[in-house]
Amino acid sequence: MKILLAERCDAPVICDIVHRTIEGIYPNYYPTEVVKFFVDYHNEEKIRADIEQNMVYVIEDNDQIVATGSIDGRTIGRLYVLPEYQGKGYGYEMMNFLEATVSKEYPTSFLEASLPSYDYYLRRGYYPVEYLKYEVENHRVLCYYTMEKKLT
């Protein structure tokens, strides 16, 4: 397993990981319109733009990209692990890497947690700062938290 800075050519694979994870897990927590919002929000164009800013990392295992995560200043984002690879430590390793990277410049890290990831971040020592709601198509509501963690 290797954690690497994503390259421009990785954008379609990263987009696929993000979309497959959203479409496979988020319907258990959110209505269809919110799932669609997440898929549209994490489009390949945005992923490519973040790659060009050297903000995106991937985990490669056996020559396959299985997870991704990003950093924008002190903000950790877009942490996704392919559903079939979840529970095997990839998210844990990516978060360790992202937090260590952020801690080189900032005393705290910040993230936005969807409902599926909220408990995971609590277990990692993040605490909720704010509970937010965002209305999407058909008056459906995306609920999420902003969270913070003091880094040592």
Side-chain angles (χ1 to χ4, degrees):
M1 173 173 55
K2 297 182 281 190
I3 298 178
L4 306 165
L5 191 60
E7 298 177 9
R8 188 171 170 81
C9 64
D10 297 328
V13 174
I14 293 168
C15 189
D16 181 62
I17 289 169
V18 172
H19 290 181
R20 284 176 53 197
T21 305
I22 290 168
E23 292 166 349
I25 294 173
Y26 284 36
N28 296 323
Y29 297 85
Y30 291 116
T32 302
E33 292 87 350
V34 174
V35 174
K36 181 184 180 307
F37 172 84
F38 274 110
V39 168
D40 292 345
Y41 183 81
H42 293 291
N43 62 54
E44 191 171 330
E45 183 179 320
K46 285 184 182 173
I47 291 170
R48 185 170 280 113
D50 289 348
I51 289 171
E52 290 173 1
Q53 296 295 314
N54 292 321
M55 297 168 38
V56 182
Y57 297 87
V58 296
I59 291 183
E60 190 178 278
D61 198 10
N62 294 321
D63 296 323
Q64 179 183 356
I65 296 174
V66 300
T68 187
S70 63
I71 298 172
D72 183 3
R74 71 177 189 114
T75 302
I76 293 173
R78 203 183 290 124
L79 175 65
Y80 288 96
V81 179
L82 281 171
E84 61 268 29
Y85 287 89
Q86 291 182 8
K88 299 180 180 180
Y90 294 104
Y92 177 81
E93 291 300 326
M94 180 61 83
M95 279 302 293
N96 285 346
F97 173 81
L98 296 173
E99 288 174 351
T101 303
V102 169
S103 73
K104 292 175 184 174
E105 295 186 42
Y106 302 94
T108 60
S109 62
F110 178 83
L111 54 81
E112 293 179 342
S114 63
L115 297 180
S117 63
Y118 180 74
D119 287 340
Y120 173 77
Y121 292 125
L122 280 176
R123 289 190 306 272
R124 286 198 63 93
Y126 285 83
Y127 55 91
V129 175
E130 188 175 11
Y131 175 74
L132 298 162
K133 297 178 181 180
Y134 181 79
E135 188 174 311
V136 299
E137 185 181 356
N138 296 326
H139 305 290
R140 300 295 188 199
V141 179
L142 159 60
C143 301
Y144 66 101
Y145 295 87
T146 58
M147 301 182 82
E148 192 170 32
K149 178 180 180 178
K150 290 180 180 21
L151 303 171
T152 54

